[in-house]
Amino acid sequence: MNPWTLTYEGFAPASVRLREALCTLGNGRFATRGATPDGRIRTPGTYHAGCYDRLASEVGGRTVINEDLVNLPDWLPLTFATPGQDWFGPELAELLDYTQELDLRHGVLLRELRWRDGQGRVTRVRQRRLVSMADPALAALETTFTAENWSGPLRVRAGLDGRVANDGVERYRDLRGDHLTEHATGRHDELTWLTATTRSSRVTVALAARADGPAPGSGSVSVAPDHVAVEYVLAAVEGVPVTFTKVVALLTSRDPAVHDPLSAALRRAGTAPGFAELLAAHAAAWERLWERAELNVDGPELSQIVHLHIFHLLQTLSPHTADLDAGVPARGLHGEAYRGHVFWDELFVLPWLNLRFPEISRGLLRYRWRRLPEARAAARSAGYDGAMFPWQSGSDGSEETQTFHLNPDSGRWLPDVSHLQRHVGLAVAYNVWQYRLATGSLPSWCADLMIAIARFFASLAVLDPGSGRYEIRGVMGPDEYHTAYPGAAGPGLANNAYTNVMTVWLLRHALQLGAVDGPEAARWEDITRRMRVDFHEGVISQFTGYAELAELDWQRYGGVRRLDRALEADGDDVNRYKASKQADTLMLFYLLDAGELLAILDRLGYPADPGLIPRTIEYYLDRTSHGSTLSAVVHAWVLSRCDRARSWQFFAEALVGDVHDVQGGTTAEGIHLGAMAGTVDMLQRCYLGLEPRPEGLLLNPLVPVRLGTLSLPVLFRGRRITVEADHGGTRVDGVPVPGGVGLVLTEKEMIMTNSGDFGRRVTHHRDRLGLTIDQLAERADMSPGYVTYLEGHLGVPDRNTVTRLATALETTPQDLLGGGRDRPPGPGAGPEEPVMDVLDPEECLRLVAPGGIGRIAFNGSHGPTVLPVNYRLHEGAVLFRTARGGPMDQDLRTGLEGVDIMIGFQVDRIDEVRKEGWSVLIQGPAHHVPEDEVAKLAEAGVTPWAGGERHLFIRIVPHQVTGRRVHGL
């Protein structure tokens, strides 16, 4: 299995729509489903971020209005025919071979097939497709034909098709989906074009296509008002490949720097480079993204799914998205489920983006900020203060939640009151705060968002004179099953624990911004001390009255994920039961650590024992049907520290949720973006224990054994660091760090993560004793500046200094110097089934880049010699120091001007516990650095392995770089 490739063998009509969703290509501006460009079994879909339209439909005698992310004209159509035969379609052809392959590293969809026509002619077809990440207005489809046993004319028909509608979700088909109107088509300077306009939002979209091939401009044109096609004739010669390329530009009236979409599309398509150049720029753009999004795990299957999830996340939300007015569509740009609306899924997406692509997070927060006036108006209309964000958002921030929804199990249209999920505002506020912690920045408009949301939830809380507690009534929690009390006249619940506790969290953090004072601040403070939270049977109650609900017969409904639909079809109501669709109360443990949650409860006058959390987890785990892909993510997270086995089970389910379509057909309608992001965030923040905090970045890994080694780069407050961990240890920028307890990396400590072990041990013992640098300096009778230097630089001071520091730090000189930590020499046991991978030079240099201890090998005056050196990789060369005139200096001189000694330099890292490791060998000439260059090398931070006066710098210029990695299956 290739961890960078998703491959499907054979043409399978039953799974076409699933493949289309998973093979979608996009660039954060627009995306196109992986539909075939030919045939009839296809659900084409091209969606532009933020391009919505509203239509009114008649359902059950009622007029309902729905806003959709519009399915734009289809740019894919391309088919072909051998002499005397019909146009090719995979569902009717005699296929000899058929493969579809998604290249996750480069963002290319490959289709290869061989088919035999009715006359026995065999033709091989190879197609490559891209939606450019380098130029977000362009897409291209390259098709190469090879006639295997015949020669003659091959007809090719390429077109643009505006006869599309939003009909990709079966349960929506009673609703109108004909969003496009005012179609126009034509041909201009050998370019075909098509325009259309959305009915109500009046967005004009224009597509222009250019054909590159052996017979450009020779085709016959077929023009209709809503579609256009050109037929070309290629000369097929037996055994000789012939290539036809279609380059397409897609522009809309929402795009900046556009006079009109059609002229812009024609210009972009006409001046676009050929496929090879487009592909090179596109692949380079993806390479830059992967450098920042890298997440390495053991095992090709796990790696493949992790790469797939990151790939689709970045196709939906890329740096291009940061410049758009677009939110986080729950189903990506991959289909029409949830109508392309923005829910609360950003709660699972932005924490990952914050530490990788903070500029995208900022753009997504701006989507919410731009809709702040609409949210304020919604709050006023409902009688509240502040800003009330909608449960479902689209173009302008209005509430887009449907008022009726179809139960496909019963065929009945039912009232929908899910707009009562006011907690979506809490998700926005939480993301604002997380952005602040990760970036160290809180723009004034972000503070405005947080304060406005806090005002809404403060006004939502009403003091009950009888209990003396603040209560929040008439809402729904994240569970979604419970919309009302059994038999109640109206919808809504009281005191949803998640909503109430997170309101307290929000008000406490909003108060820190200093934007409110006087009576308003006093009331907020009072709410944070007297908010109501209910309990029953020793656990947190999901809402007031939850304890009185009936227990469900789980044996009867075992395995049913959508209990609300099943029970309604049976004439029952899920509101009657203690049954949840997904995590609700447990979301508190997802967003807040145990200490923070227990502190809030204690502040509210509900002192809790540490057993409250595991009891609550167990209670609701037994009463959840996991009818949402997000449920597995949250349960994997909350179980990660108390039940690793079950945490891994949920994590594994979340990983394959879309690939295996565990929800039974929903992935074909669009991927589950929140769940995909949640899995990679699970690896990053949960299992690796990375948590941005005001004081720094908490690192508290608890990597499951089955996960193996986990490594990734993160960007924290402008500084990039690389963290690598497994169940045996943790390294930051290649330097081992103390394990067993949470370590907070401050910005200063990130700068010194490349320090030597001595400085790190001094820092560790100083932190252990709670000493400042000044206090340690006073104890050791040395200047604070010298202590700072020792902690932040490589090398070891003289013995007297070591002794004084050891005494001051209440340890021994041997401990500061790492005594007793050496491993005995000799071979360790290898893995039972060793696998050796050859590393490319780029990977080798990446591994040795952090610097440290390596070995040099050369023919010395006394024979073959191997010596340890403290090295740095500086401007592509290996740099180390030795004594001028010493034995190494003499051995590395030839005595001839301009002639250098060839030497070997080797670094390895071996994990004997896990029986794996890597080794890198660099071979090249050893140059003595001239005196006039030495001053420039001070910044490299190279110190000699043996200490002392060693002022001669030796530079090894790599001529050959090789490496190997050994691991077990």
Side-chain angles (χ1 to χ4, degrees), residues 137-222:
L138 299 180
L141 174 64
E142 178 198 68
T143 307
T144 299
F145 304 95
T146 304
E148 294 191 356
N149 61 354
W150 65 281
S151 297
L154 175 70
R155 291 180 294 143
V156 177
R157 186 175 66 192
L160 302 171
D161 195 347
R163 297 170 295 180
V164 296
N166 280 62
D167 59 1
V169 178
E170 185 175 356
R171 62 187 175 278
Y172 298 166
R173 288 178 184 164
D174 288 343
L175 305 172
R176 289 183 63 186
D178 55 330
H179 291 282
L180 296 178
T181 187
E182 299 177 21
H183 295 79
T185 59
R187 197 177 194 198
H188 176 79
D189 291 341
E190 308 306 329
L191 302 175
T192 53
W193 59 267
L194 182 152
T195 63
T197 301
T198 57
R199 291 186 183 274
S200 61
S201 58
R202 308 305 297 167
V203 176
T204 298
V205 58
L207 286 83
R210 187 186 80 218
D212 295 340
S218 64
S220 59
V221 185
S222 172

Side-chain angles (χ1 to χ4, degrees), residues 489-547:
L493 305 167
N495 302 310
N496 170 257
Y498 171 74
T499 302
N500 285 20
V501 171
M502 289 307 297
T503 295
V504 173
W505 175 92
L506 168 60
L507 295 178
R508 292 187 66 193
H509 286 78
L511 283 167
Q512 295 179 28
L513 301 180
V516 296
D517 53 20
E520 183 177 35
R523 184 174 185 273
W524 289 15
E525 178 72 22
D526 194 40
I527 293 172
T528 68
R529 296 185 181 278
R530 293 203 284 162
M531 180 68 83
R532 175 171 175 170
V533 179
D534 287 67
F535 299 83
H536 72 282
E537 298 180 28
V539 304
I540 301 173
S541 298
Q542 187 169 313
F543 50 82
T544 299
Y546 181 90

Side-chain angles (χ1 to χ4, degrees), residues 215-233:
S218 64
S220 59
V221 185
S222 172
V223 178
D226 54 7
H227 64 282
V228 58
V230 182
E231 184 177 327
Y232 302 87
V233 179

Side-chain angles (χ1 to χ4, degrees), residues 77-318:
L78 186 147
T79 187
F80 36 87
T82 50
Q85 303 295 304
D86 291 333
W87 295 109
F88 173 84
E91 67 278 3
L92 298 176
E94 182 186 353
L95 296 173
L96 306 179
D97 297 295
Y98 193 97
T99 301
Q100 193 171 359
E101 184 176 285
L102 179 63
D103 179 348
L104 301 169
R105 182 181 286 276
H106 303 110
V108 176
L109 181 60
L110 172 69
R111 183 174 74 150
E112 292 185 307
L113 63 92
R114 293 173 67 241
W115 106 96
R116 180 163 41 221
D117 70 8
Q119 299 299 316
R121 289 176 291 234
V122 177
T123 308
R124 180 184 299 274
V125 181
R126 184 175 190 267
Q127 291 183 317
R128 293 190 295 175
R129 182 191 310 180
L130 63 85
V131 174
S132 178
M133 189 62 79
D135 186 333
L138 299 180
L141 174 64
E142 178 198 68
T143 307
T144 299
F145 304 95
T146 304
E148 294 191 356
N149 61 354
W150 65 281
S151 297
L154 175 70
R155 291 180 294 143
V156 177
R157 186 175 66 192
L160 302 171
D161 195 347
R163 297 170 295 180
V164 296
N166 280 62
D167 59 1
V169 178
E170 185 175 356
R171 62 187 175 278
Y172 298 166
R173 288 178 184 164
D174 288 343
L175 305 172
R176 289 183 63 186
D178 55 330
H179 291 282
L180 296 178
T181 187
E182 299 177 21
H183 295 79
T185 59
R187 197 177 194 198
H188 176 79
D189 291 341
E190 308 306 329
L191 302 175
T192 53
W193 59 267
L194 182 152
T195 63
T197 301
T198 57
R199 291 186 183 274
S200 61
S201 58
R202 308 305 297 167
V203 176
T204 298
V205 58
L207 286 83
R210 187 186 80 218
D212 295 340
S218 64
S220 59
V221 185
S222 172
V223 178
D226 54 7
H227 64 282
V228 58
V230 182
E231 184 177 327
Y232 302 87
V233 179
L234 308 182
V237 178
E238 183 175 345
V240 179
V242 58
T243 298
F244 181 93
T245 300
K246 180 180 180 182
V247 178
V248 178
L250 187 157
L251 278 297
T252 80
S253 55
R254 299 181 79 244
D255 293 324
V258 169
H259 175 266
D260 72 277
L262 177 56
S263 64
L266 290 168
R267 185 168 57 254
R268 298 295 290 276
T271 59
F275 189 85
E277 190 174 338
L278 279 173
L279 177 59
H282 170 70
W286 266 109
E287 195 64 35
R288 291 190 292 272
L289 290 181
W290 282 116
E291 286 178 4
R292 299 174 64 182
E294 179 184 8
L295 201 165
N296 297 313
V297 294
D298 285 352
E301 183 176 6
L302 178 57
S303 295
Q304 182 197 65
I305 296 177
V306 169
H307 292 152
L308 180 70
H309 287 189
I310 296 174
F311 178 74
H312 284 306
L313 181 58
L314 291 176
Q315 289 199 125
T316 307
L317 305 168
S318 79

Side-chain angles (χ1 to χ4, degrees), residues 874 877-881 884 889 893 900 926-937 951-956:
H874 183 70
V878 176
L879 198 65
F880 64 92
R881 284 169 52 182
R884 190 176 302 279
D889 178 15
R893 291 186 186 273
D900 297 303
H927 297 289
H928 290 66
V929 178
E931 285 292 335
D932 57 355
E933 293 185 33
V934 170
K936 300 177 183 177
L937 301 178
H951 300 301
L952 176 64
F953 285 80
I954 304 291
R955 179 192 293 126
I956 305 172

Side-chain angles (χ1 to χ4, degrees), residues 457-477:
F457 280 94
S459 68
L460 205 58
V462 176
L463 183 63
D464 177 47
S467 65
R469 292 278 182 182
Y470 287 90
E471 300 191 3
I472 295 178
R473 295 178 171 272
V475 300
M476 285 175 57

Side-chain angles (χ1 to χ4, degrees), residues 706-723:
R706 281 183 279 189
L707 191 58
T709 300
L710 173 62
S711 66
L712 51 85
V714 294
L715 189 66
F716 181 70
R717 297 176 188 171
R719 299 192 180 277
R720 178 184 166 102
I721 63 171
T722 300
V723 182

